[in-house]
Amino acid sequence: MSRNLLPYGRQSLDDADIAAVVEVLRSAWLTTGPKVAEFEGAVADFVGARAAVAVSSGTAALHTALYAAGVRTGDEVIVPAMTFVATANAVVFQGGIPVFADVHPQTLLIDPSDAEAKITPRTKAIVAVDYAGQPCDYDALRTITDRHGLVLIADACHALGAAYKGRKVGTLADLTVFSFHPVKHITTGEGGMVVTDDPAAALTMRRFRNHGIATDHHQRTAHDTWYYEMIDLGYNYRITDFQCALGLSQLPKLPHWIARRRAIAHRYDHACSNLSLFNPLAVRPEVDHAYHLYVVRLALEECRTSRDLIFRALRAQGIGVNVHYLPPHLHPYYQRRFGYRAGTCPVAEDVHTRLLSIPLFPGMCDQDVDTVIRAMHAVEECYAS
Ligand SMILES: *Cc1c(COP(=O)(O)O)cnc(C)c1O
């Protein structure tokens, strides 16, 4: 096995990023200081949303958004069967029941008609996941949520900087969630954010990230008082100022990084057009893709091997391929706790067995891309029948 794996994703950090963090470490405010509001404002401006609430992770952001959407015990929330477990877990944190909708076989994005078929009188919201960085069909989803009086939430952890019909991700749903984990488009180490155009929802979310307490320490200082009231159950989901300083330093580089991700993806598209084993996902013409992941579906019926053998063959050549994702409802926890069984989302249940994500991050050089493409050709020569 190669020791030097080219990972499927990795952060880009420079000296200016490090200096920005160090500057905050030398300042008076390590948390809940000026950099948090500054980072919220910068991301809100970038995506074109009116308000933003920064929290400690993308998962915390999902939980915060579901709370603001009013999801409570016994409520059902429709989530796609092709996503990271955190999307569904956040529903369970609120005592809700995740109901899985199947995905489109070519894009792996939530199938709006299956989502609508799974609505019941207990459904409160739909969470759309912009899988791999491609925005979902938000026009179709908005028609459905309007018709049934549901909240539309975007899990856009893959899609910061993407757009749908010229409208930016961050303006397409009632609440939009981003992650700043190091494999995502920009990083704060750990971190997340919810953006919204609803100022009341933003206020609710600021309270939720701070134990459900109605005022923060700035407001109490301004009024010369110690007195505070906790008016609902919240969490400590605060993010630090040095994390937000890192995010502020990273954000201006995002357009350039997305351009690089697209250039690499186009080279992979071209390579796949000369390969029969590796089928890229479809990209709809009305989207600007942010390419968090480059996912291929393996044409396993055309060869004498399995996904796991191809996975190992690529890893042996130093290519850090990965799998995104095992459908959440097939995990032991979900099978035990909710009794989900295979058969409810046949497309996701079939396609996940043939998925591979190949390396894609802005710091890859052209030779890295060549190495990946050469390894795919070697695998195809070895296995294609
Ligand atoms: C990364 C990710 C999350 C969780 O974000 P964290 O910052 O790691 O907590 C949630 N949903 C999706 C689709 C993700 O890719």
Side-chain angles (χ1 to χ4, degrees):
M1 280 294 275
S2 173
R3 307 272 159 249
N4 268 330
L5 274 187
L6 186 67
Y8 82 85
R10 183 165 65 201
Q11 72 277 11
S12 297
L13 272 173
D14 62 20
D15 289 344
D17 293 325
I18 293 164
V21 172
V22 170
E23 190 186 320
V24 171
L25 292 175
R26 297 188 198 284
S27 78
W29 291 103
L30 294 192
T31 189
T32 321
K35 290 293 174 192
V36 178
E38 203 185 319
F39 184 42
E40 289 171 340
V43 174
D45 281 352
F46 181 84
V47 303
R50 284 175 67 190
V53 179
V55 292
S56 52
S57 70
T59 305
L62 279 166
H63 187 188
T64 301
L66 287 159
Y67 173 80
V71 174
R72 299 293 182 268
T73 305
D75 290 341
E76 294 176 3
V77 176
I78 294 172
V79 301
M82 180 50 63
T83 187
F84 184 47
V85 287
T87 316
N89 292 354
V91 176
V92 182
F93 296 165
Q94 276 305 102
I97 300 158
V99 174
F100 293 96
D102 213 345
V103 293
H104 189 282
Q106 303 299 324
T107 61
L108 309 192
L109 299 175
I110 191 166
D111 174 351
S113 57
D114 196 49
E116 185 163 36
K118 284 172 173 164
I119 292 170
T120 75
R122 290 157 72 181
T123 307
K124 191 90 193 176
I126 296 177
V127 183
V129 175
D130 299 331
Y131 179 82
Q134 173 164 217
C136 297
D137 186 351
Y138 281 97
D139 282 348
L141 291 167
R142 179 59 80 189
T143 301
I144 293 165
T145 54
D146 280 353
R147 183 152 56 219
H148 298 271
L150 308 178
V151 181
L152 180 56
I153 299 172
D155 177 344
C157 290
H158 294 188
L160 180 61
Y164 168 83
K165 298 187 178 174
R167 288 136 61 198
K168 280 187 170 175
V169 165
T171 63
L172 300 161
D174 299 310
L175 300 149
T176 301
V177 172
F178 298 112
S179 164
F180 308 122
H181 182 276
V183 295
K184 307 292 166 68
H185 289 85
I186 64 168
T187 192
T188 59
E190 299 281 358
M193 201 176 287
V194 188
V195 302
T196 182
D197 280 344
D198 178 353
L203 203 67
T204 299
M205 295 193 287
R206 287 184 207 291
R207 206 170 61 219
F208 188 70
R209 78 169 165 194
N210 189 34
H211 309 281
I213 292 171
T215 53
D216 69 19
H217 69 90
H218 297 293
Q219 293 162 311
R220 290 194 294 278
T221 304
H223 289 95
D224 235 350
T225 180
W226 60 268
Y227 184 77
Y228 61 85
E229 289 178 337
M230 178 190 139
I231 60 178
D232 199 2
L233 184 65
Y235 292 76
N236 178 354
Y237 279 162
R238 297 185 305 258
I239 189 169
T240 66
D241 276 60
F242 47 94
Q243 289 173 293
C244 291
L246 179 55
L248 275 165
S249 179
Q250 293 245 303
L251 187 61
K253 300 161 197 162
L254 177 59
H256 171 70
W257 285 341
I258 290 176
R260 178 69 186 147
R261 286 176 177 276
R262 286 183 183 145
I264 296 168
H266 290 150
R267 288 202 55 205
Y268 285 152
D269 287 343
H270 179 72
C272 288
S273 69
N274 297 315
L275 290 161
S276 58
L277 191 51
F278 299 88
N279 293 326
L281 298 178
V283 178
R284 280 188 282 96
E286 68 269 29
V287 305
D288 297 315
H289 201 309
Y291 283 107
H292 164 55
L293 298 174
Y294 194 91
V295 174
V296 293
R297 293 160 296 161
L298 300 169
L300 293 172
E301 45 294 308
E302 312 209 340
C303 66
R304 298 162 276 114
T305 184
S306 68
R307 190 263 309 273
D308 291 343
L309 277 174
I310 294 171
F311 176 94
R312 270 182 269 156
L314 289 168
R315 284 273 176 112
Q317 295 178 75
I319 313 302
V321 286
N322 223 311
V323 174
H324 301 93
Y325 299 96
L326 178 66
H329 69 289
L330 301 184
H331 280 281
Y333 169 79
Y334 280 102
Q335 303 234 320
R336 192 174 68 238
R337 165 85 192 268
F338 295 100
Y340 299 131
R341 289 293 171 265
T344 56
C345 296
V347 175
E349 289 160 19
D350 170 68
V351 79
H352 84 88
T353 64
R354 54 187 74 233
L355 296 181
L356 273 186
S357 302
I358 63 178
L360 176 59
F361 54 92
M364 282 177 83
C365 61
D366 289 339
Q367 291 92 305
D368 292 331
V369 181
D370 292 337
T371 304
V372 174
I373 292 171
R374 246 185 283 114
M376 293 199 294
H377 275 282
V379 164
E380 173 140 338
E381 270 157 41
C382 187
Y383 292 115
S385 43

